[in-house]
């Protein structure tokens, strides 16, 4: 083992790490917003909303992320839309996570007693403010543990975006491996970094959950 | 025994127009008809208690009054306005905006309080003032605090519902409704989910409201409250109002066997 390789390339690896975190966060953010809309659409969009939502969810859950990513990257240019790798990456992660996030929200919404919305209706709330003020904030709180879990999965899945050339942690460790001929050290370093980030995320999740439970 | 005719707007001046007029109201869930030709009038500042066996349609009747349940036949009018439908025939569902305007004036208190657990007591009361009435935050906060003080919860304002006793939660729920300055408040078994020792504090708040002249329709199993506070008691059975009159008349002079049977069971259950 030659750990010198790792220390010398640490700045690159850390840059890759920052990219990995940024892309994953952007992805989960897109996923959360889209997921909320899909979930609301499925629940209150009548039969059409329900069907469209179900098709959407099963597509993005059923097709591997790598294939989705390559589809976005290679298919959109065919119809004249040029996608920079980073956009394709965030888009693919966002779309894929939105399907999971919408299911997480749906589960949480179903756990909210019917009476909470009814009390608001009886007070004269509009449908929109019931979602905004009563249902989604509660659904979000109930969803925190599952969302943290989803973020961890997404962060690991983000290694796939190396295939479209985004310089995230996996991609960087690949190039360190090939330029130094020390693949084992490079990949072990990358693995350790993933482990540290995800450990930190899990810890953060526990803290947030405790905090919410207290209020 | 009903003293009601179907005239939608009795009297011409708003003063003697009834608060609620229910005429020939019928409601079914699928094949089963749960309300059958209900007629009932509630005047301003009147307290009307609805009693009757489980499944007789008390909650359904109450929920038709603010259109949480729709009804197929007959009419419900709040201060002359048809609830849930547009005037004319064939009738069509009221616009959402109009329904919301109507609901602002009809408060409802639920058996299970239905407070929003992610907000404090104060925020629960303030929320509708901001979202529905559009009050500025500061004014809404001051009003929410005043309301909670009025129901004896000045020191529990910043607690979340999970930190409050059932009686306290129900008082918050009442404050939340009263803050909106409704013209009528509907109560669906407001004390049924409470431990016996907490029932009194909630009934006291309701008595105070009644004394202040609030119009109230109360579904309850608290016969003491019905006897002492109600102006009228209506007894429901199988979707019919089978008795409607002053408490004394319903409790002591009714010749209706179903009423006597119900009251007898009640007395037996409540004596040692
Ligand atoms: N959403 C619904 N769908 C189908 N049936 C319903 C629904 N709500 C109530 N019912 C039925 O309507 C009838 C009247 O119910 P309701 O809840 O109004 O009775 P209640 O007098 O309030 O009874 P309780 O004292 O138990 O609260 C019951 O037979 C009930 O099963
Ligand atoms: Mg009921």
């Amino acid at each position: 083992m030659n750990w010198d390789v790792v220390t010398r390339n640490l700045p690159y690896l850390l840059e890759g790490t920052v990219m990995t975190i940024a892309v994953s966060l952007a992805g989960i953010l897109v996923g959360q917003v889209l997921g909320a809309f899909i979930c609301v659409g499925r629940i209150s969009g009548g039969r059409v909303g329900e069907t469209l939502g179900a098709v959407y969810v099963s597509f993005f859950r059923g097709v591997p992320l790598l294939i989705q990513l390559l589809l976005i990257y290679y298919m959109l240019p065919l119809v004249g839309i040029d996608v920079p790798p980073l956009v394709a990456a965030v888009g693919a992660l966002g779309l894929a996570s939105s399907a999971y996030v919408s299911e997480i929200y749906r589960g949480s919404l179903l756990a909210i007693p019917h009476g909470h919305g009814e009390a608001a209706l009886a007070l004269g709330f509009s449908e929109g403010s019931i979602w905004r003020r009563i249902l989604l904030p509660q659904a979000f709180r109930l969803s925190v543990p599952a969302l943290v879990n989803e973020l961890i999965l997404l962060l690991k899945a983000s290694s796939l975006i190396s295939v479209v050339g985004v310089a995230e942690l996996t991609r960087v460790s690949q190039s360190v491996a090939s330029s130094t001929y020390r693949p084992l050290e490079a990949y072990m370093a990358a693995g350790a970094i993933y482990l540290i980030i995800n450990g930190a995320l899990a810890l953060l999740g526990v803290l947030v959950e405790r905090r919410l439970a207290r209020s | 025994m009903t003293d009601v005719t179907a005239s939608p707007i009795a009297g011409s001046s708003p003063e003697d127009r009834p608060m609620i007029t229910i005429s020939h109201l019928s409601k079914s869930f699928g094949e089963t008809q749960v309300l059958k030709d209900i007629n009932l009038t509630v005047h301003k500042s009147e307290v009307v208690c609805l009693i009757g066996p489980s499944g007789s349609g008390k909650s359904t009747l109450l929920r038709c009054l603010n259109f949480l349940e729709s009804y197929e036949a007959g009419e419900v009018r709040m201060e002359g306005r048809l609830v849930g439908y547009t005037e004319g025939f064939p009738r069509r569902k009221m616009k959402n905006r109009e329904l919301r305007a109507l609901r602002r004036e009809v408060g409802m208190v639920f058996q299970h309080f239905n407070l929003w657990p992610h907000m404090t007591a104060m925020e629960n009361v303030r929320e509708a003032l901001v979202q529905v009435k559009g009050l500025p935050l500061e004014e809404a906060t001051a009003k929410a605090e005043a309301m909670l003080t009025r129901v004896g919860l000045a020191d529990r304002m910043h607690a979340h519902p999970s930190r409050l006793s059932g009686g306290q939660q129900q008082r918050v729920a009442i404050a939340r409704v009263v803050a909106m300055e409704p013209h009528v408040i509907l109560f669906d078994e407001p004390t049924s989910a409470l431990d016996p020792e907490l029932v009194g504090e909630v009934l006291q708040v309701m008595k105070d409201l009644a004394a202040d002249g609030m119009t109230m329709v109360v579904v309850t199993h608290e016969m003491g409250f019905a006897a002492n506070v109600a102006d009228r008691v209506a007894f429901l059975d199988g979707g019919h109002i089978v008795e409607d009159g002053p408490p004394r008349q319903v409790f002591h002079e009714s010749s209706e066997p179903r009423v006597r049977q119900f009251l007898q069971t009640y007395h037996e259950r409540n004596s040692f």
Side-chain angles (χ1 to χ4, degrees):
Chain A
M1 290 280 153
N2 180 357
W3 292 112
D4 210 29
V5 171
V6 173
T7 39
R8 250 187 299 118
N9 287 293
L10 201 57
Y12 303 119
L13 288 168
L14 289 182
E15 264 172 46
T17 305
V18 170
M19 180 59 93
T20 286
I21 293 176
V23 169
S24 306
L25 281 179
I28 195 99
L29 211 70
V30 170
Q32 279 201 29
V33 175
L34 274 179
F37 277 109
I38 292 158
C39 170
V40 173
R42 275 190 86 169
I43 288 180
S44 66
R47 193 171 298 164
V48 179
E50 163 62 30
T51 313
L52 284 180
V55 169
Y56 181 96
V57 168
S58 41
F59 176 82
F60 284 102
R61 290 211 303 195
V63 177
L65 182 60
L66 185 56
I67 301 293
Q68 290 174 33
L69 187 63
L70 293 171
L71 279 176
I72 290 181
Y73 193 58
Y74 289 112
M75 215 156 70
L76 290 184
L78 288 185
V79 293
I81 305 169
D82 200 21
V83 260
L86 203 56
V87 175
V90 171
L93 290 177
L95 288 172
S97 69
S98 72
Y100 291 93
V101 168
S102 79
E103 286 297 279
I104 293 173
Y105 281 161
R106 209 160 74 109
S108 304
L109 279 171
L110 294 179
I112 300 173
H114 188 59
H116 292 185
E118 213 159 57
L121 265 189
L123 285 162
F125 278 64
S126 66
E127 190 88 4
S129 28
I130 294 178
W131 279 109
R132 215 163 29 77
R133 302 290 306 174
I134 311 296
L135 301 181
L136 288 177
Q138 278 195 68
F140 179 73
R141 270 152 215 256
L142 293 169
S143 301
V144 166
L147 285 176
V148 170
N149 204 36
E150 174 62 22
L151 181 55
I152 291 175
L153 290 176
L154 198 69
L155 211 120
K156 288 189 289 180
S158 75
S159 68
L160 291 174
I161 67 179
S162 57
V163 300
V164 296
V166 175
E168 46 66 71
L169 184 53
T170 300
R171 176 89 178 187
V172 171
S173 59
Q174 277 171 340
S175 61
V176 169
S178 59
S179 66
T180 60
Y181 304 105
R182 307 296 294 190
L184 208 52
E185 286 84 346
Y187 293 136
M188 280 177 82
I193 294 175
Y194 278 116
L195 203 59
I196 291 169
I197 305 171
N198 283 334
L201 275 178
L203 193 68
L204 189 76
V206 171
L207 292 180
V208 172
E209 206 181 328
R210 261 200 219 141
R211 173 94 205 243
L212 289 176
R214 236 186 306 132
S215 64
Chain B
M1 200 65 58
T2 39
D3 57 344
V4 175
T5 50
S7 145
I9 302 172
S12 48
S13 81
E15 273 312 298
D16 45 77
R17 172 200 286 167
M19 199 60 150
I20 308 174
T21 319
I22 304 167
S23 36
H24 303 299
L25 173 69
S26 295
K27 157 86 188 166
S28 304
F29 286 111
E31 297 288 285
T32 32
Q33 191 174 5
V34 273
L35 297 178
K36 299 164 187 161
D37 194 33
I38 301 277
N39 293 285
L40 187 73
T41 302
V42 180
H43 294 278
K44 198 167 183 328
S45 295
E46 229 178 358
V47 177
V48 174
C49 283
L50 296 177
I51 62 172
S54 179
S56 57
K58 305 179 297 291
S59 297
T60 307
L61 173 56
L62 208 62
R63 292 161 59 83
C64 284
L65 303 186
N66 61 356
F67 214 65
L68 282 183
E69 296 290 355
S70 61
Y71 52 93
E72 309 94 50
E75 291 187 343
V76 175
R77 286 182 185 274
M78 283 282 167
E79 301 176 276
R81 265 188 303 172
L82 187 58
V83 171
Y85 297 102
T86 55
E87 301 280 351
F89 194 82
R91 63 185 182 189
R92 306 171 51 176
K93 285 259 168 79
M94 209 175 201
K95 287 210 181 70
N96 264 333
R97 171 186 298 271
E98 286 168 52
L99 187 56
R100 291 204 301 270
L102 198 140
R103 282 178 175 156
R104 279 162 65 150
E105 297 180 351
V106 184
M108 188 169 217
V109 174
F110 300 84
Q111 180 175 359
H112 296 288
F113 331 132
N114 292 343
L115 295 180
W116 304 308
H118 57 302
M119 300 181 190
T120 64
M122 192 280 286
E123 289 163 344
N124 264 277
V125 179
R126 184 178 66 185
E127 191 63 18
L129 295 174
V130 176
Q131 298 296 326
V132 179
K133 281 216 160 165
L135 292 191
L137 199 62
E138 259 174 50
E139 195 180 325
T141 306
K143 183 150 194 189
E145 288 172 355
M147 282 301 148
L148 286 167
T149 307
R150 187 167 151 192
V151 297
L153 290 173
D155 53 337
R156 303 295 284 138
M157 239 156 347
H158 302 294
H160 280 80
S162 57
R163 295 294 162 89
L164 298 173
S165 73
Q168 290 172 330
Q169 289 187 56
Q170 193 60 296
R171 283 186 282 152
V172 174
I174 293 174
R176 176 170 76 175
V177 162
V178 174
M180 292 294 284
E181 297 173 0
H183 299 183
V184 187
I185 304 182
L186 314 172
F187 294 83
D188 193 357
E189 302 198 31
T191 58
S192 294
L194 299 178
D195 291 339
E197 73 272 20
L198 302 177
V199 168
E201 61 190 65
V202 171
L203 291 181
Q204 187 56 50
V205 169
M206 292 169 62
K207 278 181 200 163
D208 294 345
L209 277 175
D212 285 349
M214 180 59 75
T215 311
M216 297 162 51
V217 181
V218 186
V219 173
T220 187
H221 292 293
E222 291 294 327
M223 295 306 151
F225 179 85
N228 295 320
V229 183
D231 298 295
R232 270 180 31 240
V233 174
F235 181 88
L236 250 82
D237 188 48
H240 291 284
I241 291 188
V242 297
E243 187 78 86
D244 171 16
R248 179 186 31 78
Q249 181 188 315
V250 174
F251 288 138
H252 301 295
E253 294 158 16
S254 176
S255 55
E256 175 60 53
R258 284 173 287 183
V259 179
R260 302 180 72 99
Q261 168 74 43
F262 176 81
L263 290 174
Q264 176 143 22
T265 320
Y266 174 82
H267 284 308
E268 278 164 10
R269 209 171 342 113
N270 287 276
S271 53
F272 300 106

